[in-house]
Amino acid sequence: MSARHPVAPLNIHDVENFDHETEVLVVGYGCAGAAAALEACARGSDVILLERASGGGGSSALSGGEIYLGGGTETQRACGFSDTPEDMAAYLMAALGPDADKEKIDAYAHGSLEHYQWLVDHGVPFKPSLWDSPTWVPPTDDGLMWLGENSWPYDELAKPAPRGHRVTADGFGGKVLMAKLSEQVAARNIGVHTDTYATRLIMDGIRVVGVSARSFGKTVTYRARRGVVLTTGGFADNAEMVAQHAPQLVGLGVNSDGGDDGRGIVIAQAVGAAVKHMSAGQVGITLVPAMMVRGMIVNNVGQRFINEDVYPGLVGQAALYRHGLDVWVILDEQAYEEVPEVERWGVQPHYVAETLEELEEEIGMPAGALVTTIGEYNKHAADGVDPYFHKSARWLRPLQSPYAAIDVRRGMAPPELGASNGGGAEVFTTGGLWTTVDGRVLNLDGEAIPGLFAAGRATSGLHSWGYISGTSLGDGTFFGRRAGISAAGR
Ligand SMILES: Cc1cc2nc3c(=O)[nH]c(=O)nc-3n(C[C@H](O)[C@H](O)[C@H](O)COP(=O)(O)OP(=O)(O)OC[C@H]3O[C@@H](n4cnc5c(N)ncnc54)[C@H](O)[C@@H]3O)c2cc1C
C-alpha cells in the first residue's frame, strides 16, 4: 500500500455504493486522530477512525511523550513555577520562527490550561517533579522539564518557565499517551477500522464527502456526511517528497513509525489544498545534550556556533543547515564523568588526547583551531561568563586535560529505539497542509475546502522553521480536538 495508487479525487457519481457511512471520518489514528475522534464523538457525531496499521499509535506511540503546555498548569505550580499564556506565546514565537504562526500560537498558549486539563481528564498522567538539565528524554519519570525557555536569548524575550510536560512512563512516554487516549476511544462508540489505507478523497462538487481506501487488496469506500479529518502524519518517510520539498533532509535517518508517507497531504493537494513550510523539519541531532552543555559543540574548523544550552533541536538545525552536520562535541574528562551512565545512551568519546594540539591533529582540524576556541572559552568561563554565546553560568567551567572529542555523525543508540543509522541526525518534517486554528484545510485562495479538516504533522502547525519538543504531541492533540469539533459541526 503506497503512493503508487493515484491521488486524484473520485467524483461521487463514479462511486457505485459506499461500503460505510458515518458523520465524521478521521483518517490516521495517532495522537491527532485520537483527539479529533474523541471530540467529534463528544459533540454527538458518529465517528469512524481509519488506520493503515493493524492498530492505533503511529509515531505518537513511539515518541518521548513530551507535550508543550503552560500558562500555569497544576504540574508547573506543584513544581514551584508560575507562568502566563503571554510568556508561553512569546517563547514559542521566537523559538519556532522566523514567521511562526501567530494566530495558532496565541490560540494554543491561551488554550493550554484547558488542554492540560482535558489530557488529565482523559487519563494522561504527569508527575509533579522537575528534571532540571538539558536532555532529549529524562531517564527518570519526572513530569516537567525545561525545553530551552531558560536559555539565552529566549530568557530575555519571555519570563522563563519549564513547559515540557512529560507523560509519566517507564522510558519514553508516547506509548502511555496513546494507551490512555486509545482506552478513551475504545470506551466510546467510535468505529476503528484498521489495516485500511486511505488512498484518495471523494468529492461532491467542491465538497469533500468521503474517502476511498484499500484494505487487504480490496477497495473500500467511506461516506462522511459532515467531514473528513486528515491526521495521517508527515512525509519524512517519502523520499520523493523529501527530495522535492526539503532537500537538506535527504539521506538522514527518519524519526517516525516508518509510515510518514505524506499520503494525507497529497490527496488534499489533489483537491486544491495549499501547503506551508514544507522545507522545515525537526533535526534530532545525535548527541547527548548533557555532554554538549558541559563542554561545547564546534564545527569542522573548531569554532563554536550556538549557545549549547538551547533546546537541542535548535542546535541540530544550526548544525545541519549551517555546517552540514560536520560537527563535534568537545569536552573533558570531568564533563564526561559528570553525566550519569543512564543519560549517555551508549555515547563514548571517539578521540582522547592530553593536549588540544594532539586532539586537533587526531580529528583533522586546522592546527590551533581548538587551542584558540578553548583558550577563549576557558578565559571567560573562569569568570562565569560566555560573551560569545551566553551559555548559562551553571554550565561554564574551564575545560582541562585530558580532552575528548565526539564525532556527531557516528550517531547514538537511544535505549528505547536501538541503534541509530548514523549520519548525525534523525529528522521528521513539520510542514504540511495549511489549516485554520479550527482545523479547516485552506485552498490556494485561503478559503476553507468544504468538508475537509486536518491536524497533527500532516499540517503546518505552530511552527515555521524552528522546533521545540512537545509541540508535535501538543499541537497534534490541541488542533486535533479543534478539527474534530469543527468537523462535527456542532
Ligand atoms: C522517537 C520519537 C520521539 C518523539 N518525541 C516527541 C516528543 O516527546 N514530543 C513531541 O511533541 N513529539 C515527539 N515526536 C514527534 C511526534 O511523535 C510526531 O510528530 C507526532 O506523534 C505526530 O502525530 P500525528 O497524530 O500527526 O501522527 P502519527 O502519530 O504518526 O499518526 C498518524 C497515523 O496515521 C496513519 N496513516 C498514515 N497515512 C494513512 C492513510 N493514508 N490511511 C490511513 N491511515 C494512515 C499512520 O499509520 C499513523 O498511525 C517524536 C517522534 C519520534 C519518532
Side-chain angles (χ1 to χ4, degrees):
M1 293 193 292
S2 77
R4 271 177 273 126
H5 298 285
V7 295
L10 282 175
N11 188 313
I12 191 168
H13 303 299
D14 296 327
V15 178
E16 274 175 27
N17 69 296
F18 283 96
D19 299 299
H20 302 277
E21 188 159 338
T22 185
E23 288 182 312
V24 175
L25 182 69
V26 180
V27 185
Y29 189 178
C31 70
L38 287 168
E39 288 291 48
C41 178
R43 298 295 181 288
S45 281
D46 291 339
V47 184
I48 293 178
L49 251 170
L50 284 197
E51 169 54 49
R52 71 184 296 185
S54 298
S59 297
S60 306
L62 298 181
S63 72
E66 292 154 17
I67 308 183
Y68 204 83
L69 296 163
T73 66
E74 201 182 349
T75 304
Q76 287 179 309
R77 284 186 279 114
C79 293
F81 295 96
S82 61
D83 193 14
T84 65
E86 289 74 21
D87 283 314
M88 179 175 172
Y91 175 65
L92 288 177
M93 277 306 290
L96 303 184
D99 191 34
D101 192 318
K102 183 162 176 13
E103 198 186 353
K104 281 187 179 164
I105 286 178
D106 282 342
Y108 184 71
H110 285 274
S112 188
L113 273 185
E114 187 274 338
H115 189 51
Y116 168 90
Q117 200 53 51
W118 184 87
L119 289 164
V120 170
D121 291 346
H122 283 74
V124 180
F126 300 105
K127 189 176 159 198
S129 57
L130 178 73
W131 173 262
D132 188 19
S133 163
T135 187
W136 286 116
V137 180
T140 60
D141 63 358
D142 291 316
L144 191 64
M145 62 193 287
W146 293 95
L147 290 170
E149 300 91 341
N150 54 354
S151 66
W152 186 89
Y154 307 102
D155 59 349
E156 293 183 353
L157 303 175
K159 183 175 161 243
R163 301 192 187 92
H165 286 64
R166 199 285 199 88
V167 179
T168 310
D170 178 14
F172 284 25
K175 53 187 181 287
V176 174
L177 172 70
M178 283 312 297
K180 295 294 177 191
L181 294 181
S182 301
E183 277 170 26
Q184 299 291 329
V185 168
R188 288 165 176 77
N189 187 24
I190 296 174
V192 179
H193 295 198
T194 57
D195 300 294
T196 307
Y197 180 66
T199 56
R200 57 215 296 198
L201 294 171
I202 299 174
M203 306 293 290
D204 185 356
I206 59 162
R207 186 178 177 84
V208 174
V209 293
V211 156
S212 175
R214 299 282 294 168
S215 185
F216 297 109
K218 292 202 171 90
T219 296
V220 197
T221 49
Y222 289 83
R223 174 155 202 167
R225 289 195 300 278
R226 289 183 176 271
V228 171
V229 186
L230 298 171
T231 49
T232 45
F235 61 93
D237 290 303
N238 185 326
E240 207 176 302
M241 280 181 80
V242 171
Q244 265 172 18
H245 300 288
Q248 283 163 305
L249 305 184
V250 168
L252 294 171
V254 175
N255 217 217
S256 78
D257 64 348
D260 278 8
D261 69 358
R263 188 73 187 182
I265 297 172
V266 292
I267 62 177
Q269 285 183 292
V271 302
V275 290
K276 268 179 97 169
H277 301 136
M278 293 288 277
S279 58
Q282 149 74 335
V283 182
I285 187 168
T286 49
L287 53 72
V288 176
M291 291 181 194
M292 171 177 62
V293 80
R294 287 173 168 84
M296 62 176 64
I297 187 163
V298 297
N299 63 14
N300 66 2
V301 289
Q303 292 166 335
R304 290 175 73 210
F305 52 89
I306 195 164
N307 170 11
E308 290 87 353
D309 68 12
V310 295
Y311 169 65
L314 299 183
V315 176
Q317 290 184 327
L320 172 63
Y321 299 123
R322 284 157 47 196
H323 303 286
L325 285 174
D326 190 0
V327 295
W328 298 78
V329 172
I330 308 292
L331 69 174
D332 64 5
E333 189 172 20
Q334 182 183 336
Y336 184 76
E337 294 298 335
E338 271 178 19
V339 178
E341 195 166 343
V342 65
E343 261 195 279
R344 291 184 197 157
W345 287 7
V347 172
Q348 291 184 341
H350 300 119
Y351 299 93
V352 178
E354 292 297 324
T355 69
L356 290 171
E357 288 84 350
E358 284 165 0
L359 194 65
E360 288 163 355
E361 197 178 328
E362 280 188 50
I363 63 182
M365 279 184 190
L370 288 179
V371 173
T372 307
T373 298
I374 293 180
E376 275 293 290
Y377 180 87
N378 281 356
K379 187 172 76 187
H380 296 294
D383 296 330
V385 291
D386 170 19
Y388 287 81
F389 296 101
H390 308 277
K391 182 157 71 174
S392 162
R394 177 179 172 192
W395 306 111
L396 290 169
R397 173 182 61 74
L399 301 178
Q400 294 165 359
S401 170
Y403 303 101
I406 296 165
D407 181 352
V408 170
R409 286 170 301 178
R410 295 202 202 177
M412 63 183 181
E416 197 125 345
L417 304 177
S420 148
N421 294 330
E426 307 237 321
V427 300
F428 58 83
T429 55
T430 54
L433 297 170
W434 184 22
T435 51
T436 68
V437 289
D438 293 318
R440 291 171 201 280
V441 177
L442 299 176
N443 66 19
L444 291 169
D445 289 320
E447 292 161 350
I449 298 174
L452 191 60
F453 306 84
R457 282 291 57 83
T459 66
S460 173
L462 305 169
H463 327 81
S464 68
W465 189 250
Y467 185 83
I468 296 294
S469 188
T471 56
S472 283
L473 299 176
D475 95 3
T477 49
F478 183 83
F479 292 107
R481 291 178 60 201
R482 286 177 159 235
I485 292 168
S486 300
R490 297 191 171 101

